Amino acid sequence: MKSMEEMIKAAQQAAETIQKQMTETQGKLDAIEVEGKAGGGLVTIRCTAKGRVIAVTLDDSLMQASEKQMAEDLIAAAFNDARAKADQVSNEEMARVQGGLGLPPGFKIPGLG
């Protein structure tokens, strides 16, 4: 049987491994891009799986003063679409890492979220 000291050391090493893998996954999420669209593609927003907006693209037809309100609404809709996709990718990546570590789904590691 292992001593208490050996078990504590093993637990600390496991925690360090988990911390490293979670940090790596968080970095990976900022490199994964998703795209949200609204208005049949009139507005497109690209963002990372962490939700950082990279680009907003507006169709030229929305550049009229009479279309201002529609453009604003479509930008919000496209952002929400991109954010939902980013959340989905993020959740899938975190579940994959946690599953590989034998952690229960939704387990929160202090300091990582």
Side-chain angles (χ1 to χ4, degrees):
M1 180 174 223
K2 291 184 178 181
S3 71
M4 182 62 83
E5 187 175 301
E6 290 173 321
M7 290 183 351
I8 290 172
K9 185 176 180 181
Q12 287 173 333
Q13 288 174 337
E16 288 172 10
T17 299
I18 291 168
Q19 179 78 26
K20 181 181 178 208
Q21 289 179 338
M22 297 299 275
T23 300
E24 288 171 358
T25 299
Q26 290 291 326
K28 182 180 176 183
L29 291 175
D30 202 42
I32 296 172
E33 292 184 16
V34 295
E35 189 173 88
K37 295 185 180 227
L42 292 175
V43 175
T44 301
I45 294 182
R46 282 188 315 128
C47 69
T48 69
K50 284 189 81 170
R52 182 175 54 88
V53 175
I54 298 168
V56 176
T57 305
L58 303 176
D59 186 271
D60 290 341
S61 68
L62 295 173
M63 303 314 298
Q64 302 170 27
S66 63
E67 300 299 326
K68 181 180 184 290
Q69 182 64 49
M70 183 192 309
E72 291 169 348
D73 292 345
L74 291 174
I75 290 168
F79 176 78
N80 289 332
D81 184 43
R83 182 71 236 176
K85 290 176 181 175
D87 288 345
Q88 179 181 357
V89 169
S90 177
N91 290 338
E92 289 170 359
E93 283 295 316
M94 295 307 283
R96 185 185 61 75
V97 169
Q98 288 178 341
L101 297 171
L103 298 175
F107 181 79
K108 302 284 186 204
I109 295 177
L112 287 179

